[in-house]
Amino acid sequence: VLGIDEVCLLLGRTRVLSYRVFFYATYSLGLRLGESLALEVGDIDANRMRVHIRNAKGGKDRFVPLTQATLLLLRRFWQVHRHPVLLFPNRKKT
């Protein structure tokens, strides 16, 4: 488990935007790695300020609270990549 100071250090030293946003969202939403990688644009519910996590531990769905800061960061990031489905698409062009 990382402390707040360690997370700030990690975010401050991460130069690739997609990685920085990924780390921030994963930490602020309290997600597991696989849950973050599977996030889809449609899972973000800005009206109810929550995120739908599909197939979480035990194969169950759950909702986690979404902070205003995380929502704003995710919106700005989505404007950069504009993937129609995935929030964190593969960076490689296949």
Side-chain angles (χ1 to χ4, degrees):
V1 178
L2 296 176
I4 293 174
D5 293 338
E6 294 168 315
V7 172
C8 290
L9 185 64
L10 174 69
L11 293 173
R13 292 194 177 168
T14 304
R15 297 293 168 226
V16 179
L17 176 65
S18 60
Y19 293 163
R20 191 172 338 125
V21 173
F22 177 80
F23 292 148
Y24 184 90
T26 300
Y27 184 78
S28 69
L29 296 172
L31 303 181
R32 295 172 182 86
L33 179 63
E35 294 170 345
S36 294
L37 290 171
L39 278 178
E40 297 183 0
V41 174
D43 293 336
I44 308 300
D45 186 348
N47 292 328
R48 293 187 176 132
M49 294 301 288
R50 65 184 187 175
V51 179
H52 187 186
I53 308 302
R54 300 174 192 283
N55 294 318
K57 191 173 183 178
K60 298 180 180 181
D61 289 2
R62 65 187 174 111
F63 292 95
V64 296
L66 175 65
T67 66
Q68 189 67 31
T70 304
L71 176 62
L72 292 174
L73 182 66
L74 291 174
R75 282 181 171 167
R76 284 196 310 260
F77 178 63
W78 188 80
Q79 291 173 348
V80 171
H81 72 76
R82 287 207 170 287
H83 192 278
V85 178
L86 295 175
L87 201 54
F88 298 107
N90 188 341
R91 294 181 63 222
K92 290 183 180 180
K93 302 290 183 195
T94 57

